[in-house]
Amino acid sequence: MPQFVDQARIFVKSGKGGDGHVSFRREKFVANGGPNGGDGGKGGDVILQVDNGLNTLSDYHFGGKYKAEPGAEGGQNRCTGKSGSDIVLRVPEGTVIRDAQTGKVITDMSGDNHRFLLLKGGRGGNGNMHYATATMQAPKYAQPGQPAKELEIILELKVIADVGLAGFPNVGKSTFLSKVSNAKPKVANYHFTTLTPMLGVVDLEDAKGFVVADIPGLIEGASQGAGLGHEFLRHIDRTRMIIHVVDAASTEGRDPIEDIYAINRELADYNADLGSKTQIIAANKLDMLTPEEADEVVAKIKAEFEPKGVKVFPMSTLTGMGIKDILYYVSRHLDELGEKPVVYEQEFDPEVELKERQEAFTVKYDPEEDEYVVEGPRIEKMLGYTNIDSEKGFAFFQNFLADNGILDMLEKEGINEGDTVRMYGLLFDYYRNADTTPGGEVDEELEDLEDLDDSESDIE
């Protein structure tokens, strides 16, 4: 049986688009064949897929990197490169995906959402056959493929159940679940008997059934991480109703009323919504008291909580007393609450957020080297395919710096003409060309180069 794992952190990366190819037609009796470089193939996507056969994230327990295949480079004779294969990450239903950097929700793999495109592969670049013009009949450049997208994510499994069982360890939650459903949890007389959530389906005659989750026993301080802390609490998030099981017989010397308040504080401290969920109290272990003692303790619990709208049920999981009353009450109340599954809304769109991260530039002054340092993913890519040794290539790069506000950023840092600028190991003397303004005029070949830059910023 696989180890139960309900949280994992992994790195994912889509496939880079294949680069366009530079080649020319070479045939006998054809002296100067035109460009025939083909387009690059599309990079593979990263896809999330619900697998109903899974109930744990154990496949991702040790983290790791999950990468889609890059697209192949275009070929000669207008041949398009092969597209990269997708990578499909299979997860249990109820898995919430978050961006590791911000903690924001990317998607919730529950409800109707059984397949989700997490990261798109890069688009393949155009081959040089696309850049032939009347004045440039032998273009010696092609479009690079769009870069891969990468992301570190947190996978968090939150079980899907209608009702959650809450309470201190060893109060009878596991025994209750085994009596009312087909679940077979391990039951023993020691703390932390249940270390993983157990789900059970309750079937009732003449009433609608429901799913119950036995949430591992809480302890005080769990909302701050004491004990297994959040490892317990996350699994009660989706439930529509809580059965709070309490040791009414005080077999471990605790006061049942204080226990109820302590657990409710943990629920509210972890998530305010949990503290406001509909709740009933199951006063358990009454078989260990005399009838008079049982009546007295149940009366005290009712006096404390029923005026606050929390219904109290006497119960014994050993004898079965009171269990049916609880189940039929819960079934009716769930009908009144209606079908409102808890689904987490998207807070982080990778396509939008990663584009902003990729387009970010940093400009800072390095006093030790007396240099202004400019960094950013797009600059690094630009330097990779721009021939800045040529006059036109350098003019194109200057326009790029101006259009993206980098020259303005340098001047805000106090740069003067003749100062040194460092970009990924390349050094430049700073001179702001009066003719280089955002949106300035460029000739036809330079416009083709700007089309190449569009592949970096135009993320589809």
Side-chain angles (χ1 to χ4, degrees):
M1 182 176 179
Q3 177 186 3
F4 180 80
V5 176
D6 58 5
Q7 191 171 45
R9 187 183 187 113
I10 63 173
F11 174 87
V12 293
K13 185 175 183 179
S14 64
K16 176 189 177 299
D19 294 337
H21 188 69
V22 176
S23 61
F24 297 90
R25 184 182 172 196
R26 292 290 181 264
E27 293 182 24
K28 193 175 182 180
F29 308 121
V30 180
N32 295 301
N36 68 352
D39 301 338
K42 177 185 174 299
D45 299 330
V46 179
I47 297 169
L48 294 163
Q49 175 76 49
V50 168
D51 186 334
N52 292 323
L54 297 177
N55 58 9
T56 173
L57 295 170
S58 58
D59 289 348
Y60 308 102
H61 181 41
F62 298 105
K65 298 182 178 181
Y66 297 83
K67 301 178 182 179
E69 191 177 52
E73 182 183 354
Q76 296 180 353
N77 299 321
R78 300 176 176 259
C79 290
T80 300
K82 180 184 176 183
S83 293
S85 299
D86 300 334
I87 185 169
V88 179
L89 306 180
R90 301 190 180 278
V91 297
E93 185 174 8
T95 302
V96 177
I97 314 299
R98 298 181 185 273
D99 170 50
Q101 182 173 318
T102 63
K104 292 181 178 179
V105 173
I106 298 173
T107 189
D108 183 351
M109 303 300 293
S110 64
D112 296 330
N113 183 26
H114 279 205
R115 189 176 176 88
F116 181 79
L117 176 57
L118 180 63
L119 295 178
K120 287 184 180 179
R123 187 179 59 202
N126 291 331
N128 71 330
M129 64 181 180
H130 293 279
Y131 298 107
T133 66
T135 57
M136 176 55 62
Q137 296 183 11
K140 296 180 180 178
Y141 47 81
Q143 188 181 39
Q146 281 187 335
K149 302 180 186 74
E150 55 188 49
L151 192 62
E152 191 173 20
I153 60 173
I154 294 172
L155 293 78
E156 188 177 68
L157 177 59
K158 295 175 182 284
V159 299
I160 297 176
D162 301 301
V163 179
L165 300 178
F168 273 91
N170 203 28
V171 296
K173 300 192 308 298
S174 296
T175 305
F176 177 82
L177 185 66
S178 68
K179 287 287 183 74
V180 304
S181 74
N182 56 355
K184 302 298 178 187
K186 293 180 181 179
V187 179
N189 187 25
Y190 53 87
H191 283 192
F192 301 111
T193 298
T194 306
L195 293 179
T196 65
M198 292 291 297
L199 295 180
V201 178
V202 177
D203 292 318
L204 297 172
E205 292 184 11
D206 305 320
K208 190 175 180 180
F210 50 89
V211 179
V212 180
D214 175 14
I215 308 303
L218 298 176
I219 61 174
E220 288 188 86
S223 59
Q224 281 75 48
L228 295 184
H230 293 175
E231 307 305 314
F232 290 164
L233 285 162
R234 73 167 59 94
H235 295 292
I236 208 167
D237 278 354
R238 294 191 194 273
T239 58
R240 294 187 285 152
M241 188 174 177
I242 295 172
I243 299 176
H244 194 146
V245 183
V246 64
D247 178 3
S250 302
T251 59
E252 297 189 351
R254 296 193 309 269
D255 183 303
I257 291 176
E258 291 180 3
D259 277 6
I260 294 167
Y261 280 123
I263 293 298
N264 284 341
R265 281 194 298 271
E266 296 306 323
L267 296 177
D269 287 348
Y270 173 71
N271 183 337
D273 291 339
L274 289 185
S276 62
K277 283 185 187 287
T278 300
Q279 183 177 132
I280 65 170
I281 295 171
N284 192 27
K285 301 194 178 184
L286 296 179
D287 56 278
M288 303 187 74
L289 302 174
T290 66
E292 293 76 15
E293 290 171 334
D295 290 343
E296 182 180 352
V297 71
V298 170
K300 285 182 179 179
I301 298 172
K302 285 186 174 183
E304 182 70 24
F305 293 101
E306 288 199 340
K308 299 174 182 178
V310 180
K311 192 164 179 62
V312 178
F313 291 84
M315 183 181 76
S316 168
T317 54
L318 184 65
T319 67
M321 182 268 291
I323 290 179
K324 277 193 174 181
D325 293 338
I326 292 174
L327 298 182
Y328 279 96
Y329 178 86
V330 168
S331 178
R332 290 193 302 272
H333 201 80
L334 288 174
D335 279 343
E336 293 172 7
L337 289 174
E339 295 288 341
K340 296 179 181 177
V342 177
V343 177
Y344 292 84
E345 298 296 328
Q346 186 179 54
E347 302 169 330
F348 182 100
D349 184 342
E351 287 298 308
V352 174
E353 301 286 348
L354 291 183
K355 181 179 179 181
E356 291 179 358
R357 288 181 186 178
Q358 287 178 338
E359 292 184 349
F361 303 105
T362 60
V363 176
K364 60 184 179 182
Y365 176 65
D366 181 350
E368 292 185 6
E369 300 293 334
D370 190 24
E371 295 170 350
Y372 290 84
V373 182
V374 180
E375 293 181 333
R378 285 188 66 203
I379 287 183
E380 189 174 16
K381 299 288 183 184
M382 286 283 293
L383 290 171
Y385 64 72
T386 304
N387 180 11
I388 58 175
D389 292 330
S390 73
E391 183 179 347
K392 288 182 177 180
F394 189 74
F396 162 64
F397 194 65
Q398 281 279 91
N399 273 284
F400 169 81
L401 297 178
D403 288 341
N404 287 278
I406 296 171
L407 300 185
D408 292 331
M409 293 166 70
L410 284 166
E411 293 190 352
K412 285 181 181 178
E413 287 291 322
I415 198 169
N416 295 307
E417 293 208 354
D419 286 346
T420 302
V421 178
R422 184 172 81 241
M423 298 183 188
Y424 293 97
L426 296 175
L427 300 179
F428 307 88
D429 290 333
Y430 180 79
Y431 294 101
R432 183 152 189 168
N433 188 336
D435 296 330
T436 304
T437 57
E441 292 296 321
V442 291
D443 68 17
E444 190 169 10
E445 184 176 1
L446 223 53
E447 286 176 348
D448 290 340
L449 283 170
E450 290 189 336
D451 287 340
L452 301 189
D453 177 45
D454 288 341
S455 72
E456 297 294 304
S457 59
D458 180 20
I459 297 179
E460 291 186 348

